[in-house]
Amino acid sequence: MAPLFWQNELFEAAFREAEIDSLDALCDEGLQLCGEVITTAKTRRLVRIQLPYKLPGADGDGQLINYYVKTQVVPAFSLAPKKWLSYLLRGTPVGRESGSLRKLADMNVKVPLLVAAGASGRFPGEMKAVIITRALETHMDLEAYLSNESDPVKRKVTAECAHVLVDALHNRGFALGGARYRNFLVPKIGTESIFEVALIDQPDFARAPHKRARDQRLMSQDHGRFFLS
């Protein structure tokens, strides 16, 4: 059985109590019965799960915490040829994402807390990967924030924080795998600080100066959808 690497024993205990503490159990179709399915794709699924977090010896049922469980199951020989080399050399996007979270955290970029991660298999055989993060309850994605916020100043300043964060990473020689507004989490009340902006869904975050132009193009497209020229 492929191992999962847990952030701490209390997180692991909560998932073990729910009998979803293995890679196979988390990648099983039945996981969607344990929580709310947020998104699905051909090989990937994101499920929000609420489980109690309890300190050893503490009374009561424990504090309920929301987690996001992202899984990817790629059947053997199922990939389009254009993806063969990437999956052979780098593995699945979900399998790579935990490394990106650690890199970003080391650079003092806000990210959701990594709870656990694991992967098994190798192309062209079946591949599985899972990453579990703790929900940032105080945040929402930038697209949703801009759709709900009516104050034009707060909208502009909060969106600008995301752009400044991308510029700061570019200045250090890095590029994002996903530079869309939906990949940024911002406080529900808005923010004036890039240190309160969190990044998610970044499996391809790396030193790649040649990809910076793509980041800027995607950010510009999203900016145009929410702000008048």
Side-chain angles (χ1 to χ4, degrees), residues 82-120:
K82 65 180 181 180
K83 296 183 178 181
W84 288 357
L85 184 60
S86 175
Y87 276 68
L88 176 62
L89 298 178
R90 305 171 64 202
T92 64
V94 170
R96 301 195 302 267
E97 191 171 338
S98 61
S100 295
L101 287 176
R102 294 187 182 97
K103 291 177 185 176
L104 287 162
D106 287 343
M107 296 172 65
N108 293 321
V109 177
K110 191 176 184 68
V111 292
L113 177 65
L114 179 64
V115 173
S120 68

Side-chain angles (χ1 to χ4, degrees), residues 24-76:
D24 288 339
L26 290 163
C27 289
D28 189 88
E29 286 290 329
L31 180 72
Q32 57 191 322
L33 301 178
C34 300
E36 176 188 2
V37 178
I38 305 301
T39 60
T40 58
K42 184 177 180 180
T43 64
R44 306 182 209 183
R45 181 176 62 230
L46 179 66
V47 180
R48 181 167 53 218
I49 292 176
Q50 190 176 71
L51 295 174
Y53 181 89
K54 185 177 180 180
L55 295 173
D59 295 330
D61 297 327
Q63 177 188 0
L64 289 176
I65 291 179
N66 285 310
Y67 302 89
Y68 284 99
V69 180
K70 184 184 295 186
T71 59
Q72 185 169 15
V73 179
V74 183

Side-chain angles (χ1 to χ4, degrees), residues 9 27 101 105 117 199 207:
E9 295 179 354
C27 289
L101 287 176
L199 273 168
R207 289 191 176 276

Side-chain angles (χ1 to χ4, degrees), residues 1-6 21-26 117-121 128-130:
M1 181 181 296
L4 281 176
F5 299 95
W6 293 89
D21 60 325
S22 71
L23 182 67
D24 288 339
L26 290 163
S120 68
K128 294 182 178 181
V130 62

